Amino acid sequence: MFAIFETGGKQYKVSVNDTIYAEKIEGKIGDKITFDKVLMCGDKIGMPYVQGASVVCEIVKQGKQPKITIIKHISQKHHTKKQGHRQPYTKLVVKEIK
């Protein structure tokens, strides 16, 4: 059985014991989080969400992705700006689909 749920503006298709990397979610390692915005659960399709369905996940890790470098350059003005960014993420393991 699989489910499609949304968090952080993105949709994830998961089954039990799947590992996903989602946008940063507040919580500590070992906490369980319940997602209620389930778009599809098995063969049931929600409009927009399936009533009474939820996905229970456990937080495994809080971290940051590798740094990306952004360079903004304006030619003929001799102007260059260099900036770095590391996007935070939360590693989740799906424990249960209700």
Side-chain angles (χ1 to χ4, degrees):
M1 182 166 158
F2 71 94
I4 299 174
F5 71 96
E6 97 177 54
T7 179
K10 297 176 179 67
Q11 298 175 0
Y12 300 93
K13 179 181 177 182
V14 295
S15 298
V16 178
N17 294 327
D18 280 356
T19 302
I20 60 169
Y21 292 88
E23 293 291 320
K24 173 95 169 138
I25 299 170
E26 294 298 325
K28 296 180 181 177
I29 296 174
D31 289 352
K32 293 197 184 278
I33 298 175
T34 303
F35 296 101
D36 297 333
K37 294 184 177 182
V38 179
L39 302 167
M40 184 174 178
C41 186
D43 58 346
K44 296 180 184 176
I45 298 173
M47 293 188 187
Y49 304 116
V50 178
Q51 296 294 326
S54 63
V55 176
V56 179
C57 297
E58 180 181 352
I59 296 177
V60 177
K61 181 180 178 185
Q62 299 276 16
K64 289 186 176 182
Q65 294 176 349
K67 181 179 271 192
I68 60 169
T69 305
I70 302 144
I71 297 176
K72 297 179 181 178
H73 177 71
I74 301 174
S75 61
Q76 301 177 1
K77 300 259 185 204
H78 302 290
H79 176 75
T80 301
K81 181 178 179 182
K82 184 177 177 183
Q83 183 179 1
H85 176 73
R86 293 184 72 189
Q87 183 71 28
Y89 70 87
T90 301
K91 184 177 178 182
L92 301 169
V93 173
V94 179
K95 293 294 182 182
E96 186 178 5
I97 298 173
K98 297 180 182 178

